[in-house]
C-alpha cells in the first residue's frame, strides 16, 4: 500500500501512515508523554487498526496522518497531519500532532502543524481548518496560537478532565480555527 510522497520540513521527514508503519505508530503510543493524552498506551492490535483507518483517510480524502522522523538520524519524533472530522456537530478539516516527550519544547509540533496547514491548503484549498484539544492541554493550545489559529470556544468530547482520572465522555475541549490559510505565519 502506498500513500503520498514524503513531505520534508527543515528537520523532519513526514511519511504517510499506512499498515507498514504500524510498528512505529505503536512505538509512539508507548511514549509516556503521548500515552498520557490518549488514555494510556496502545496495543499492537489497536495501532494496526488505527494505521488502517489512517491509510483509508489518505485514499478517501487525499489527507491523513504522517509519522514524523528526524531527517538526519531517522529517529522517530512523532506524528501529525489532517483528517475530516465532526466537532460539536460541525464538519471540519482538523489538524493535530503528537510528539514524543523527549522532543517537547523544541518546536516539532509547530513544524508538523505548519507542514500540515500547507499540505491541506495545497490539496484541498479549504477556507477554514480547525484544531482542538482538552482545555488544559496548554502545550497544544500554544502550538495552535503559534500557527495563527484563534480560539473559537469550548466544546465537549470524549477526553481527559484536569484533576480526574481516566477518559470522560463529556470533557471540555478548546476549539481553535484559522481562515484564509495563505495568511498563516511561516
Amino acid at each position: 500500500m502506498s500513500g503520498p510522497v514524503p513531505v520534508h520540513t527543515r528537520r523532519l521527514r513526514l511519511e504517510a501512515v499506512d499498515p507498514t508503519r504500524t510498528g512505529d505508530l505503536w512505538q509512539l503510543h508507548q511514549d509516556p508523554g503521548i500515552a498520557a493524552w490518549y488514555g494510556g498506551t496502545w496495543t499492537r492490535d489497536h495501532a494496526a487498526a488505527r494505521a488502517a483507518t489512517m491509510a483509508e483517510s489518505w485514499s478517501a480524502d487525499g489527507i491523513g496522518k504522517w509519522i514524523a522522523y528526524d531527517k538526519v538520524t531517522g529517529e522517530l519524533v512523532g506524528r501529525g497531519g489532517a483528517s475530516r472530522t465532526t466537532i460539536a456537530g460541525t464538519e471540519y478539516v482538523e489538524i493535530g500532532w503528537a510528539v514524543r516527550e523527549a522532543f517537547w519544547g523544541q518546536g516539532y509540533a509547530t513544524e508538523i502543524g505548519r507542514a500540515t496547514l500547507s499540505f491541506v491548503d495545497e490539496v484541498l484549498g479549504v477556507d477554514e481548518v480547525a484544531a482542538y484539544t482538552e482545555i488544559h492541554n496548554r502545550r497544544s493550545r500554544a502550538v495552535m496560537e503559534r500557527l495563527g489559529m484563534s480560539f473559537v470556544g469550548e466544546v465537549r468530547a470524549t477526553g481527559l478532565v484536569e484533576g480526574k482520572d481516566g477518559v470522560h465522555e463529556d470533557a471540555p475541549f478548546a476549539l481553535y480555527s484559522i481562515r484564509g490559510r495563505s495568511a498563516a505565519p511561516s
Side-chain angles (χ1 to χ4, degrees):
M1 178 174 280
S2 65
V5 296
V7 170
H8 295 270
T9 68
R10 184 171 64 84
R11 300 178 293 174
L12 299 171
R13 183 183 82 250
L14 305 173
E15 299 276 352
V17 176
D18 64 26
T20 67
R21 304 239 178 252
T22 295
D24 287 343
L25 191 60
W26 174 81
Q27 184 180 347
L28 279 174
H29 285 272
Q30 303 311 297
D31 185 272
I34 293 175
W37 291 102
Y38 286 86
T41 58
W42 285 6
T43 65
R44 288 187 184 274
D45 288 344
H46 185 75
R50 294 293 298 136
T53 299
M54 291 175 188
E56 289 170 16
S57 178
W58 282 110
S59 295
D61 300 325
I63 57 173
K65 304 292 187 199
W66 293 301
I67 297 281
Y69 302 94
D70 182 283
K71 270 193 339 192
V72 175
T73 67
E75 187 171 6
L76 187 61
V77 173
R79 69 156 179 78
S83 58
R84 292 188 184 275
T85 193
T86 301
I87 304 169
T90 302
E91 289 192 24
Y92 289 98
V93 170
E94 181 252 341
I95 67 168
W97 44 84
V99 173
R100 291 177 52 212
E101 194 170 10
F103 296 103
W104 287 3
Q106 298 178 41
Y108 285 106
T110 303
E111 195 167 329
I112 293 167
R114 282 193 180 118
T116 304
L117 286 172
S118 293
F119 189 83
V120 167
D121 191 42
E122 290 170 19
V123 172
L124 300 179
V126 295
D127 291 333
E128 183 177 27
V129 175
Y132 72 121
T133 190
E134 284 90 346
I135 202 101
H136 65 282
N137 188 342
R138 289 162 190 83
R139 287 181 172 276
S140 276
R141 292 182 69 179
V143 171
M144 294 170 197
E145 291 167 6
R146 277 193 293 279
L147 294 173
M149 303 182 95
S150 299
F151 179 73
V152 174
E154 186 177 305
V155 297
R156 297 291 177 152
T158 301
L160 305 177
V161 177
E162 189 171 26
K164 294 185 179 181
D165 290 336
V167 176
H168 300 269
E169 295 290 322
D170 194 34
F173 278 70
L175 175 64
Y176 284 73
S177 74
I178 187 168
R179 292 186 170 276
R181 266 284 310 121
S182 59
S186 56

